[in-house]
Amino acid sequence: MSFCEKYFEIMDKNFPDKRYSTDELAGKFEILYNELVAFNEKVNLTAVTDIEGVIAKHFADSLLIEEYIPEGSEVIDVGCGGGFPTLPLAIVRKDLEITALDSTQKKLNFVSEMAQKLSLNVSVLCARAEETARKDEYRESFDVCVARAVARLNILSELCIPLVKKGGLFISCKAAIGEEEYREAKNGTELLGAKTKNTFTPILHTVTEEQKRSIFIFEKVEHTPQKYPRQYAKITKKPL
Ligand code: SAM
């Protein structure tokens, strides 16, 4: 089976309305797949490299949050690593302006290369999220902050919510988490000025199995108090 046939099969399973099943998008994701696997030989971006695995666990998985991002948003992806969810979102949503943030330059080199090659509206920022959120230029300046598989929710909230403007959204996507992880994060998200808007537990369909995911959407309803975010050591030692 060719890349495109596998792409259509997996996307159709996950998104039955077929919104991502076009030849144009399949062609772009094929380029992204080939480049990812080649770059991965030099810099470790992912343990998943087989075609079905990458299409399901990186491409489709990144797109699970796409429908919750408002039209024309300025988005920051905290801990984007090799570009997930940044690159799939930027491929399907030309209206978004995405800042891909990570503390590892080597990974961002791949994101920049792909943004150039596929003419995506993506810029990269090599920095720590908590330091970035203390700079006037970035603090409370994004419509939406997304993060996939970066940290426990109570830690991630303090890295992300200060970057979101009042009225904006923080969208976290991760492997299914228990009620406990959400409960232990709730108090902190409120201290940071956000409240829960929605939670979803979609199923990600791979070729052979179904995996649960957790999506949390928080809305910024108040400004974040100036004392947050704290230093990373404090965030992790004593989460809010
Ligand atoms: N989001 C990508 C994905 O889903 O494939 C990468 C996930 S990877 C497990 C976590 C990434 O978050 C790493 O690339 C790491 O460098 C980055 N990261 C963790 N804490 C960070 C922080 N405080 N500031 C910036 N980047 C951070």
Side-chain angles (χ1 to χ4, degrees):
M1 234 201 260
S2 69
F3 177 93
C4 284
E5 285 166 327
K6 288 179 180 161
Y7 171 88
F8 288 130
E9 182 191 336
I10 295 167
M11 286 296 171
D12 288 352
K13 254 191 199 173
N14 284 285
F15 307 99
D17 64 5
K18 295 186 184 288
R19 62 188 185 278
Y20 306 128
S21 298
T22 68
D23 290 335
E24 190 197 344
L25 290 179
K28 288 185 177 168
F29 279 107
E30 183 169 13
I31 294 171
L32 177 56
Y33 171 75
N34 288 330
E35 297 288 334
L36 178 71
V37 171
F39 200 95
N40 207 47
E41 300 274 312
K42 302 175 281 176
V43 176
N44 183 25
L45 297 176
T46 174
V48 181
T49 52
D50 62 296
I51 295 180
E52 288 95 341
V54 171
I55 295 172
K57 293 179 185 164
H58 288 315
F59 300 166
D61 189 58
S62 292
L63 294 173
L64 291 174
I65 59 170
E66 187 267 312
E67 63 183 299
Y68 308 113
I69 303 177
E71 173 93 29
S73 294
E74 241 183 90
V75 178
I76 185 161
D77 178 4
V78 164
C80 69
F84 301 104
T86 285
L87 294 169
L89 287 174
I91 288 173
V92 305
R93 289 282 299 272
K94 293 290 176 200
D95 59 299
L96 303 178
E97 198 178 308
I98 307 183
T99 300
L101 177 145
D102 203 282
S103 51
T104 306
Q105 181 64 53
K106 279 195 266 180
K107 295 181 181 179
L108 290 177
N109 290 344
F110 176 69
V111 181
S112 299
E113 274 180 30
M114 290 317 300
Q116 234 179 345
K117 194 163 204 134
L118 295 170
S119 304
L120 305 176
N121 198 3
V122 170
S123 51
V124 300
L125 182 57
C126 185
R128 296 205 56 92
E130 65 280 10
E131 288 167 11
T132 305
R134 287 198 289 269
K135 294 187 176 150
D136 289 346
E137 189 186 350
Y138 299 108
R139 186 177 185 86
E140 301 202 318
S141 69
F142 295 92
D143 301 304
V144 179
C145 176
V146 297
R148 188 187 85 141
V150 175
R152 264 182 99 80
L153 199 54
N154 57 357
I155 291 168
L156 191 62
S157 300
E158 194 167 344
L159 301 179
C160 292
I161 292 172
L163 291 161
V164 178
K165 57 170 81 150
K166 207 171 151 187
L169 302 174
F170 160 43
I171 304 177
S172 156
C173 181
K174 43 182 34 222
I177 64 168
E179 183 61 20
E180 192 199 328
E181 185 175 335
Y182 170 64
R183 240 185 299 116
E184 76 184 11
K186 199 163 178 292
N187 181 48
T189 56
E190 285 166 10
L191 286 174
L192 293 159
K195 71 168 201 277
T196 309
K197 186 176 160 79
N198 262 317
T199 62
F200 301 98
T201 49
I203 301 292
L204 179 76
H205 303 271
T206 72
V207 168
T208 53
E209 57 178 339
E210 298 187 336
Q211 297 181 351
K212 280 194 190 151
R213 292 290 184 268
S214 291
I215 295 176
F216 294 95
I217 306 182
F218 298 94
E219 184 176 4
K220 187 91 174 257
V221 289
E222 300 289 348
H223 291 293
T224 298
Q226 281 301 327
K227 60 182 170 185
Y228 305 124
R230 299 164 294 162
Q231 301 288 334
Y232 193 69
K234 285 194 180 149
I235 297 176
T236 49
K237 198 170 168 204
K238 214 167 181 271
L240 291 175

